[in-house]
Amino acid sequence: MMTQDEVTKVLSDVELVPCAEMALADARRLVEACLEADVPALVHREACAKPGCSPKFQVLVRPEDGLRVATLLQQRWMDSIQREGVLADGASPFALPATEDGEPPCPACGTVAPLVAGACADCGLQLE
């Protein structure tokens, strides 16, 4: 696990990008998970000029670490789904249910129709 001193040193002179915006407690938990995965990350308060705006915090990382953080977030989400027991064993949360005629809905637009040359008949998303 990276220490705060190591993070400060690694991120001192590099470009940082926000990978998530959330409440402070959630941002701190995400940064902790990033550090456990050896991904340097910081919590940054996002300034909001709107009256009555609740405080928002960003998790900042190097651009090249964005995919690692996305993978980490997805794994944490999958872990929470499994902990809660909301899926049948072996089921995928990404699988879309098929209709009565066996055609799955398009993941982009929701159209239920046979594919045209491997693409959604409505939006054209290539699915095969």
Side-chain angles (χ1 to χ4, degrees):
M1 182 167 156
M2 296 185 80
T3 67
Q4 192 59 43
D5 289 337
E6 291 171 329
V7 170
T8 302
K9 184 177 179 181
V10 169
L11 299 180
S12 64
D13 292 325
V14 297
E15 175 189 7
L16 298 176
V17 295
C19 67
E21 185 174 281
M22 55 193 62
L24 180 59
D26 294 329
R28 286 183 175 164
R29 280 192 290 273
L30 178 56
V31 167
E32 184 177 309
C34 287
L35 298 182
E36 287 174 6
D38 290 325
V39 175
L42 297 170
V43 175
H44 171 71
R45 179 159 184 190
E46 175 66 15
C48 181
K50 298 176 189 173
C53 186
S54 62
K56 295 180 181 109
F57 296 85
Q58 294 178 330
V59 176
L60 302 179
V61 296
R62 300 174 297 193
E64 62 267 22
D65 289 328
L67 184 56
R68 290 177 65 195
V69 175
T71 302
L72 179 67
L73 283 168
Q74 183 178 16
Q75 185 58 53
R76 289 168 53 105
W77 178 69
M78 290 295 297
D79 291 346
S80 71
I81 286 175
Q82 290 173 348
R83 259 192 326 273
E84 296 295 324
V86 294
L87 288 178
D89 288 338
S92 169
F94 303 107
L96 296 172
T99 61
E100 292 175 7
D101 61 355
E103 293 291 336
C106 173
C109 70
T111 296
V112 179
L115 300 179
V116 176
C120 173
D122 188 34
C123 72
L125 177 67
Q126 192 66 40
L127 298 167
E128 287 185 336

